[in-house]
Structure formats: C-alpha cells, structure tokens
Amino acid sequence: MIDKYFINKNIFLLLVSRFISQIGDYIFLPAILWLAIDSESGSRTWLGIISIVVLIPPFLGFLFGLIADNRSKRSIMVVSDLIRLCLCILLLCNQITIQSMLIIALIIFLIESLGQLFNISSQSFIPDIIPKEKYLKANSYFSVINNLTGIIGFAVGGILIAILDFQLIILLNALTFTVSALLIYLIDNKAVIALKTNEKEQIDKKNRFIENLTESFNSVFKNKLLTSILLIACIVNMFSASIEMLITVWTHDSLNMNSDHFGILMATILMGALAGGWVANLKLFKKSSAVYIVALSTLLFGSVFLTISFLPFFYINVIQFFTAGIFLSINSIHFTTAIMNATDQSLMGQVFGIIQTIIRGGQPLGVAIVTWLITFVNVSFIFLGIGATIGLAGLTLFLISIKHFSTSKKIYQPEQKPSEL
C-alpha cells in the first residue's frame, strides 16, 4: 500500500517527518514573535531582533549544504531534531527577563539554523532513496506537504497561541521534533543509494573545505542552463515574497473590500498551490523536459499577474490567484526536479544550499523594491510590472532551453523507461 501511493517506505517516513516538523515550526515561530512583544521584558525592539535572527540562517545554506554532503544525511536529520528538542527544553528553563531574551534570541538562531540544515539534508536526501525516474513524483509530494503545513500550521497556530500557555507550545514543538527524529531513524539505511568512496577520499574531501565549496559553486554557475534556471527562480521568488503585501493593498485600495476578502484571496493561492502539486505529476508533464515546464509555468504565472491589473473584480481575482498558485507550485516542483537531474549526487546538498542562499537572499530585495514602489505607484501598475518581468523571464528561459537542446542532449532529457536506457 505504501509503495503504491508513496513510492516506497523511506519516502513515506521522510514525508511524514517533514509534515510533523513543519507543523511544529508554524506553531512555534508566531508564538516566539508574540512572546517577544507581549512579555514583561518584551518590546518592539526585541520583536525586530527575533525577526532578523530568523532571517539569517537561510543565508548560510551553502555551508549547511557542505555539511550535508560530507556526513550521513539521515544522521544529520536525526541529530538536528534531537538538538532542537534539547534547545526547546532549554527555552522552558528560562525565565523571561532582559538577560534571558538574549539567550532566547541565540536559541532561536540555533533552532532555525538546525531547521535549515534539516531541510537541505532532507531535500538532497531524496535522490539517495529513490531512482531518478521518481524525482518528479517525490517533489510533487513534498510540495503538497509544504503547502498543506502552511494552511494547517497558520490556522492551528493562531488558535493554540490564543488558548495555550507559551510553555505548552514549546512542549508541543519539542514533541514534534521527537516524533520526527524517530521517523527519520526508522528509514532503512540499507536501502540508501549510497556513493562508493574509499576512506582516503572521504578524509581528503573533509580537509578540502574551500575546494569543496568552490567545486559546488562551479557545478552551479559553469552550467549555463542551470544558471539560467536559477536566475529565473530567483526572479520569481524575489517578487512572490511580496504577494501578501500586494494582495493587502489590492484588496483595500482597488477592490475596496475588508479583511475577510483579503483572507479569501490569500487562501486561494495556497489552495492553488496544493492543486499544483497534483497537476505537476500528470503524465503530460512527465513526458516533457523539466526545464520546458519551468519556463512555461514562469511565463503563465507572469501572465496571470499581468491580467490582474486589468480586472479589479473580486470573483475573477479568486480564479486568477488560484491559477497563479497552481503555476507557482508547478514551477517550484519542476525547478527542484531539474536541479536533481543535473546535479552530481555527491554535490546535491551543496548545490541546494547555494540555491537556497541565492533565492532567499533575493526575497528581501524584492520586498524592499515593492515596499518602495507601493508608496507612490498604483498597485495595478506594480502587478503589471511584476507580471511582465516574470513573463519575459519565462519566455527568455524557453528560448535559451530550445537553443541548449538543439546543441546538446546530455542534460535535462525527458524521462525514459528503463528499457529505453
């Protein structure tokens, strides 16, 4: 039953572990932010400090990826969960004072850093436990899990913050780390598709930190098509990080509606993203190159944004944002699949770490640009500009990929059956 619906037992355990761990994160982080401003020693300053602390770990993704590729990814995930469990217990021992707020900020930084290490390890672990032809299906499942935890986590988190003490929320988060570590431990290590390297090679690899880091950067940027895909993903993520802000202003200023309608529009994007996780796994997409799908979904996502500026009607916007969520999810799934197909297994963690650093690094820039524009430019024109920029980026990638495939068939070929290999 598990093998039929979830590829294999290992992927199922990894999926459930990630679901439980992320639910805990979605409940825990808002509670910490509320504590920073609502406790006796709290203030808006501490709220800002905690918010900044949370933003730092994603920029260290290239280092976490290097760690993931030089150690057992399964062990890293288990140890990360157990250390986060201990840090949660340490949080419970702190009385909320000015001095302890410094300790809390440090603990949050460590928890978030370990969370990034866990996420990069789990994502780069997928190629170790499934064959290449199953990458797309696995990435679709993980996309659904990510969006589902977002919907459930924010809803449940808000309720729990209102009815539970802060200590109980920390205990709940600690419990999710315990369960997650147990599930990862149950993954069959014998089934891992491991690389064969002798002991001397492993020692040399650990002693060449700079060389390894350079090698992983070269693996990303020496491949022109891979660099193009990464640039497009950076553009999409840079502006999609501002969606919540844009929808807020759009609902209030252009539609002249209240917060209920804002909530509905936000929910439609998440629901669209959930649907996109299923759509991305259809046979139509399996037969096509991942790069073509990334290009096409980018073009269509931009086109939807572009049309929003011309149609300030709530019910039409519901359909548009739902559709945008589908294309955004398809884009993310096939982007990850394309990276997996093009990356050497020994560099998988490092490449995903570098990609996370670059993409997450672009998000604050996108938010800053939109925040600056929104003060003196009508939000309709901002939607128009973002839609045109993303759409042109998708079209450019499509043309680049056509040129690439016309000269080389070594990378990103459509999936083949074992009999055809």
Side-chain angles (χ1 to χ4, degrees), residues 354-383:
I354 291 169
I355 288 170
Q356 177 178 273
T357 299
I358 294 172
I359 289 178
R360 292 295 291 271
Q363 289 179 348
L365 176 61
V367 172
I369 292 173
V370 172
T371 302
W372 174 67
L373 288 173
I374 217 164
T375 58
F376 59 88
V377 178
N378 188 287
V379 69
S380 298
F381 294 113
I382 297 177
F383 270 118

Side-chain angles (χ1 to χ4, degrees), residues 20-21 24-25 27-29 31-32 35 79-96 103-104 106-112 114-115 166-178:
I20 293 173
S21 181
D25 292 341
I27 295 171
F28 176 70
L29 186 56
I32 286 291
L35 173 72
V79 172
S80 296
D81 275 336
L82 293 177
I83 294 177
R84 285 189 287 176
L85 166 63
C86 295
L87 290 171
C88 283
I89 295 172
L90 188 59
L91 268 179
L92 289 173
C93 299
N94 270 283
Q95 299 297 318
I96 308 302
I103 298 174
I104 289 173
L106 176 60
I107 292 174
I108 297 304
F109 172 76
L110 293 174
I111 289 176
E112 290 297 313
L114 289 165
F166 175 67
Q167 287 79 5
L168 289 176
I169 291 176
I170 294 178
L171 278 175
L172 183 60
N173 195 36
L175 179 61
T176 65
F177 292 140
T178 306

Side-chain angles (χ1 to χ4, degrees), residues 94-146:
N94 270 283
Q95 299 297 318
I96 308 302
T97 63
I98 292 294
Q99 290 76 18
S100 70
M101 287 301 291
L102 289 170
I103 298 174
I104 289 173
L106 176 60
I107 292 174
I108 297 304
F109 172 76
L110 293 174
I111 289 176
E112 290 297 313
S113 295
L114 289 165
Q116 293 300 321
L117 178 59
F118 179 96
N119 290 336
I120 290 173
S121 298
S122 66
Q123 191 168 43
S124 58
F125 188 52
I126 294 173
D128 290 348
I129 54 178
I130 59 171
K132 195 169 186 177
E133 62 270 15
K134 298 293 184 181
Y135 287 176
L136 177 59
K137 190 173 185 179
N139 288 325
S140 299
Y141 288 158
F142 278 91
S143 175
V144 170
I145 287 294
N146 290 338

